Amino acid sequence: MTLAFFCLGALSLLGELDEQVTTENKKDWIDWIYAQQVLPTGQIPDPNEAYCGFRGSSWSGRKFEPTATTCSFQHYDSSHIANTYTALLNLLLLGDDLSRVNRQAIIKTIRKLQQEDGSVAPTYGSLEIDVRFIFCACAVSFILNDWSGIDIERTTDHIKRLQSYEYAIAQCPNQEAHGGSTFCGVAALALMNKLKEGLVDKDKLIEWCLQRQVSGFQGRPNKSPDVCYGFWIGASLDILESFTLVNCQELKAFLLECQHKIGGFGKDPDSFPGKISR
Ligand SMILES: [Zn+2]
């Protein structure tokens, strides 16, 4: 599901989605995505209550059911909040109206994924709890225009606790700040309309982000630049209304150094597939 998002999202950004994916193809994509929806069983109480949303693929061997309305519970056959997030984006990119999305079931599951301290788990019972999944839960709530699955105050407080002595955002409390988690935290706050309340020091955060540009962007101080932080930190700066302070010429030159002649990008100039072109 996530790979589909990178492909469809990139084609869309390039203005090539309609050119490269036929109407028939789009319908097949949409059917495949809906076949990955984990739905309520209809039983009371519902054993699927905390597992609804979208799974990453049909890895569990489920049969192909794009028009399913119920889904009997199978242990370990669960949605994952990152896949629910990318499934909804994929559907919107493909022009679907989300009419087959069971919105209520997804919101109910998000309510179960949010923890006492405001953090969010990716699947029910998972111990892999960090700011990536707060972002996904906020994005899903924003897309579905229903925030009843999230306690906005507690989430804002939690993101506040993720800000380190550098004023940027870490994955979990007391950890080192990082470009990826900074994007997740800043974007989640923006989606909740809580940037003002949730940032400890906006100007210092902007300064931290800008200082990560060495040609391309690095994810943390003293690390090498990596293509992905052009997005994570670039997008954070955009949300913080400071992208105009980025040296775009340097950034573009770095990105092009990482691109292979057939089109793919490595994370840096020495990584596959960029490296094989020289
Ligand atoms: Zn990276």
Side-chain angles (χ1 to χ4, degrees), residues 178 225-229 232 267-268:
H178 178 274
D226 173 331
V227 163
C228 71
Y229 297 109
W232 300 119
K267 69 168 189 166
D268 57 43

Side-chain angles (χ1 to χ4, degrees), residues 5 81-82 84-86 89 110 114 118-122 129-143 147 150 155 158-159 162 169 171 180-192 231-232 235-236 239:
F5 169 64
I81 192 75
T84 303
Y85 161 60
T86 46
L89 291 181
I110 290 180
Q114 185 157 45
S119 60
V120 174
I129 297 167
D130 62 59
V131 71
R132 291 173 299 169
F133 310 119
I134 291 182
F135 165 71
C136 292
C138 287
V140 169
S141 302
F142 183 86
I143 293 167
W147 287 89
I150 293 204
T155 312
H158 185 78
I159 296 174
L162 297 177
I169 299 170
Q171 291 271 56
S181 41
T182 293
F183 167 78
C184 291
V186 168
L189 288 173
L191 289 167
M192 294 188 292
F231 173 75
W232 300 119
S236 301
I239 295 168

